[in-house]
Amino acid sequence: MSAMIAKAEVGSSAPKPARGSGIHLGNVDHGVRPQDDFYSYVNGKWLQDTQIPADKSEASSFSRLDDSEQHQLRALVEDAARHVAASADANRRKIGDLFGGFMDEAQLQKQALQPLGAEFARINGLRHKSDIPALLAHYNEIGVQSPYRTSVGQDARDSTQHVVGIDQGGLRLPDRDYYLQNDAKLVQIRGQYRQHVEHMLTLGGSAFAAADAQAILQLETRIAQAQWSKVENRDPVKTYNKVELAKLASLTPSYAWQSYLKAADLDGKIDHVIVSQPSYLSAFNKILDETALAVWQAYFRWQLLAAFSPYLSQPFVDENFAFYGTALSGVPLNRPRWKRGIALVNRCIGEGLGQLYVAQYFPPESKLRMLVLVDNLLATYKTSIDELDWMGAPTKQEAQAKLARLVTKIGYPNKWRDYAGLKIVRGELVGNVMRAAVFDYQYNINKLGKPIDHDEWQMAPQTINAYYDPQMNEIVFPAAILQPPFFDPHADDAVNYGSIGAVIGHEISHGFDDQGSQFDAQGNLRDWFTKEDHDRFAAKAAALAAQYRAYEPVPGYHVNGELTLGENIADNSGLAVAYKAYRLSLGQQAAPLIDGLTGDQRFYIGWAQAWQAKVRENTEILRVKADPHSPPRFRAHGTVVNQPAFYAAFDVKPGDKMYLPPEKRVIIW
């Protein structure tokens, strides 16, 4: 490989059994020097040859893995739908009826708006603004957007207790910037949004759709002006505001909280709430008082239609996609109906489908090999904590205690969720979606006053993702992500450490990033850094934020270094620790030369090929505004330029475009 610099690696022990490199050599662009553009070198031929499918916002490693999984899930749900009557498995029957009802387009055409008739009557029946709190409680139950939302979670100050939180909400565009900023693209989308609301209200039977759409946009703009930014919402201290119920009136003097609490099945179950954005709640009270009831009724009709249009007749489905798919994300064609049906099953009966998926498609050996990877990563973190130059001894002691209590969950939960209380009726699609939302809502309300369930998962096994939960102090890797290009059981360790190893390291490092570091080993919001360590860490974080702010995925749209800071810290830390863990895994053995590539080269190529992606421009803009992750190219580049071993692996020198002087490299782990 002409652009690669192969280097001998010292070792004396017998080699491990031969495996493939795991590198997709056909994607490599030999016309690009890895020292100048590593991402394009690794993925260049793929980028040249790949077209984004008409029904997708991107083509990527994730979308390719999703495509493969979709066919697996389709076989499961279609089999369930065909054999509903004969199945003795209650979950399979519900999956079959839910999916079968979604696929019955003729029935949905006949029903038209009838499934929402009772909901429209409820809106029309509002006589005073004092009726609104009960309606918002109902919307929180059935999954409709409202100006605020309540949820049940762990108390950030006492992780052994459940608590009710109140958060800002009510916008149907992805972020407040879409309402408030005036660059040409966002102004265009706002205009398209107003037209979309008008079209939806017209389909819903409104005689004043144009005027109502304008009033709704003005109302949502006022809501957006009052909201906290996504960067502000990343601060777990500022968003933890414990308020006794009796004192909620100090934030919202004219709002009937008692009416809300009763309708939300919270009356008598709590005596305080955690308000994430107190100033927003006060502003909402003012907006409620100053906005006419008729405007609120139009807004509620719109929110109802927006929530359920994917489950109505074809004109509603098409109009919903025309805006959210095409205008907002740049996707010209809706996904096939069967894929949307699978998405619905995942949403409503996720673990039920996950149980079928794991039994069919998750081999036990994948879990065993992952456990070895995790153990090596944890051992490396343990050693690395002691070696950190920015962390003092008292903080290191706390960090080691937190690492020692970290829980790892791989593949699927120890116990599956019970869906016995969920009623699914084949011919009632909208009713099924509502009942599933109410089932979830009640499931969470029922946690109040009970111990924390440490076996619970926040993702179904078929989810292609992973997460760290700071309050549970756990890392979770669903079965679906444990496949190529993230984890290849047939590949040499180098590429696996560079891909899934770095993902594991990423999730572990969230426990020590700018947010996770504010939670202790028990999952409580407690400052365990010394002031000096805070200052040193903040300096590194500020430098990393500045590095990523310089990246510009779309002309005029830069990465938000503060919004993406936690994920960028995790990417940089995860890759650095994964590299150390890979070297640890070799012991005294030499890494084999495979496909002309050294182990270190394969490690970094494994990282870059995992983030292979082509993304539509509108989707890229949406993510810059709302996604805490950097765009894929910069997830690859922004990390390797900070890794000393990358420079050695590819002989990157001053004058090369990938070169960053040592004093400018941000090294956290």
Side-chain angles (χ1 to χ4, degrees):
M1 302 181 68
S2 59
M4 305 293 283
I5 310 296
K7 298 183 178 181
E9 299 187 23
V10 179
S12 58
S13 300
K16 294 179 179 180
R19 292 192 180 106
S21 72
I23 305 299
H24 299 284
L25 299 173
N27 294 332
V28 173
D29 185 350
H30 296 286
V32 178
R33 297 176 70 241
Q35 299 91 339
D36 290 332
D37 185 346
F38 187 60
Y39 185 80
S40 292
Y41 168 74
V42 173
N43 301 304
K45 290 293 291 180
W46 181 88
L47 291 167
Q48 294 168 24
D49 298 341
T50 298
Q51 297 294 318
I52 302 174
D55 64 341
K56 294 185 184 298
S57 60
E58 67 173 37
S60 66
S61 300
F62 282 92
S63 68
R64 190 165 59 250
L65 185 50
D66 179 68
D67 281 341
S68 173
E69 185 191 63
Q70 287 291 307
H71 289 284
Q72 294 172 334
L73 296 177
R74 183 181 190 178
L76 294 173
V77 298
E78 288 186 344
D79 181 70
R82 282 193 300 269
H83 302 102
V84 167
S87 177
D89 184 328
N91 282 348
R92 280 173 57 88
R93 290 199 301 274
K94 289 174 182 178
I95 289 168
D97 280 335
L98 181 61
F99 182 77
F102 182 85
M103 297 301 292
D104 190 351
E105 294 181 80
Q107 175 72 6
L108 298 177
Q109 290 297 115
K110 291 178 184 177
Q111 291 177 347
L113 265 178
Q114 179 270 329
L116 294 180
E119 297 299 328
F120 282 123
R122 185 169 188 154
I123 295 169
N124 294 337
L126 294 175
R127 292 292 175 260
H128 307 282
K129 290 182 188 176
S130 59
D131 298 330
I132 288 177
L135 179 66
L136 296 190
H138 176 61
Y139 275 12
N140 272 321
E141 271 196 301
I142 66 172
V144 177
Q145 266 281 16
S146 66
Y148 66 85
R149 54 184 174 267
T150 56
S151 59
V152 175
Q154 285 172 272
D155 190 329
R157 297 287 187 187
D158 182 359
S159 62
T160 66
Q161 301 294 320
H162 289 105
V163 68
V164 172
I166 301 178
D167 293 275
Q168 64 189 26
L171 304 180
R172 277 287 170 184
L173 286 173
D175 183 69
R176 67 176 198 167
D177 283 358
Y178 278 81
Y179 298 87
L180 306 180
Q181 292 188 355
N182 289 318
D183 64 75
K185 175 62 74 172
L186 298 190
V187 169
Q188 177 190 14
I189 289 175
R190 271 203 300 277
Q192 293 170 314
Y193 178 65
R194 188 203 59 75
Q195 293 174 347
H196 168 60
V197 176
E198 179 183 342
H199 294 162
M200 273 294 199
L201 292 174
T202 299
L203 287 172
S206 172
F208 310 100
D212 284 346
Q214 184 61 36
I216 289 167
L217 180 57
Q218 290 172 350
L219 174 56
E220 289 192 20
T221 301
R222 285 198 68 185
I223 292 173
Q225 289 167 338
Q227 287 195 350
W228 291 21
S229 71
K230 281 186 163 57
V231 173
E232 291 171 310
N233 284 323
R234 292 190 72 251
D235 189 326
V237 176
K238 289 182 179 178
T239 53
Y240 185 92
N241 302 281
K242 188 174 181 178
V243 181
E244 295 177 11
L245 293 184
K247 295 182 179 179
L248 270 176
S250 65
L251 292 174
T252 54
S254 61
Y255 193 70
W257 280 108
Q258 192 56 42
S259 175
Y260 177 87
L261 294 169
K262 184 176 181 181
D265 193 24
L266 291 171
D267 191 26
K269 295 182 178 179
I270 57 174
D271 57 14
H272 67 276
V273 293
I274 306 301
V275 178
S276 293
Q277 306 91 6
S279 63
Y280 169 76
L281 214 56
S282 296
F284 161 66
N285 193 158
K286 188 171 186 289
I287 294 167
L288 179 63
D289 288 345
E290 295 175 355
T291 302
L293 179 61
V295 173
W296 281 112
Q297 288 175 303
Y299 170 82
F300 294 139
R301 292 186 194 100
W302 152 237
Q303 292 292 353
L304 185 69
L305 288 166
F308 292 103
S309 55
Y311 316 113
L312 295 172
S313 58
Q314 198 62 40
F316 290 95
V317 173
D318 291 343
E319 178 56 37
N320 179 73
F321 179 78
F323 178 73
Y324 286 104
T326 303
L328 188 60
S329 301
V331 181
L333 188 68
N334 206 348
R335 290 176 298 167
R337 190 166 186 88
W338 66 266
K339 288 188 176 181
R340 287 177 274 146
I342 289 171
L344 177 63
V345 174
N346 277 327
R347 171 182 167 182
C348 297
I349 319 176
E351 279 197 22
L353 180 56
Q355 194 169 3
L356 302 179
Y357 172 79
V358 165
Q360 187 77 20
Y361 296 111
F362 186 59
E365 56 267 26
S366 291
K367 184 168 184 173
L368 293 174
R369 196 162 171 204
M370 270 290 291
L371 288 170
V372 173
L373 282 168
V374 171
D375 285 345
N376 276 338
L377 265 294
L378 290 172
T380 305
Y381 265 103
K382 181 176 174 62
T383 302
S384 296
I385 288 172
D386 290 335
E387 297 171 348
L388 293 176
D389 61 357
W390 55 269
M391 189 181 283
T395 308
K396 287 180 179 179
Q397 185 176 355
E398 293 264 15
Q400 291 286 13
K402 184 169 186 178
L403 186 69
R405 288 180 63 98
L406 183 74
V407 174
T408 302
K409 296 178 177 179
I410 295 174
Y412 52 90
N414 291 328
K415 64 177 182 181
W416 296 98
R417 188 166 171 186
D418 182 1
Y419 291 93
L422 174 60
K423 180 182 178 182
I424 298 293
V425 180
R426 194 179 186 98
E428 299 178 6
L429 180 58
V430 168
N432 289 335
V433 176
M434 287 186 183
R435 285 189 290 271
V438 172
F439 177 78
D440 273 342
Y441 179 87
Q442 200 60 53
Y443 173 82
N444 287 305
I445 291 295
N446 290 341
K447 295 177 183 177
L448 293 170
K450 297 177 182 176
I452 302 297
D453 182 359
H454 290 275
D455 287 326
E456 187 176 30
W457 281 45
Q458 297 173 23
M459 287 179 179
Q462 65 273 29
T463 306
I464 305 169
N465 210 332
Y467 69 89
Y468 170 76
D469 184 336
Q471 291 179 261
M472 298 285 273
N473 194 23
E474 65 182 17
I475 51 172
V476 183
F477 299 93
I481 200 172
L482 306 180
Q483 302 178 64
F486 297 99
F487 175 66
D488 185 347
H490 305 295
D492 180 70
D493 280 345
V495 71
N496 280 324
Y497 273 94
S499 49
I500 196 65
V503 172
I504 296 167
H506 171 113
E507 298 304 338
I508 295 172
S509 78
H510 273 313
F512 309 93
D513 67 15
D514 64 316
Q515 287 183 299
S517 62
Q518 299 181 68
F519 292 85
D520 64 17
Q522 287 73 39
N524 293 315
L525 188 56
R526 178 176 67 83
D527 188 356
W528 49 275
F529 272 44
T530 65
K531 182 184 183 305
E532 294 77 15
D533 292 345
H534 269 306
D535 292 343
R536 286 190 287 265
F537 184 82
K540 288 180 177 287
L544 197 66
Q547 175 190 328
Y548 281 81
R549 277 199 302 272
Y551 297 138
E552 191 177 9
V554 177
Y557 294 87
H558 286 256
V559 173
N560 186 328
E562 286 69 33
L563 174 61
T564 59
L565 181 59
E567 298 299 333
N568 295 336
I569 290 172
D571 279 347
N572 279 268
S573 302
L575 187 63
V577 174
Y579 175 75
K580 294 178 184 179
Y582 168 60
R583 301 302 303 185
L584 176 68
S585 75
L586 293 173
Q588 297 302 310
Q589 297 182 20
L593 196 71
I594 305 177
D595 293 333
L597 301 169
T598 68
D600 282 13
Q601 289 170 339
R602 297 195 305 279
F603 172 85
Y604 287 110
I605 292 174
W607 169 253
Q609 75 178 14
W611 300 113
Q612 186 181 86
K614 289 182 77 169
V615 183
R616 297 187 189 278
E617 182 175 286
N618 277 25
T619 298
E620 198 81 273
I621 292 170
L622 187 157
R623 292 177 181 174
V624 165
K625 294 294 183 184
D627 192 342
H629 301 84
S630 293
R633 171 180 287 273
F634 304 116
R635 295 191 74 169
H637 271 186
T639 47
V640 297
V641 297
N642 291 317
Q643 313 280 327
F646 170 75
Y647 290 80
F650 292 95
D651 198 27
V652 181
K653 297 176 179 178
D656 294 333
K657 293 179 181 177
M658 293 294 296
Y659 183 82
L660 196 64
E663 67 274 12
K664 291 189 176 180
R665 298 173 197 168
V666 182
I667 300 175
I668 298 175
W669 287 87

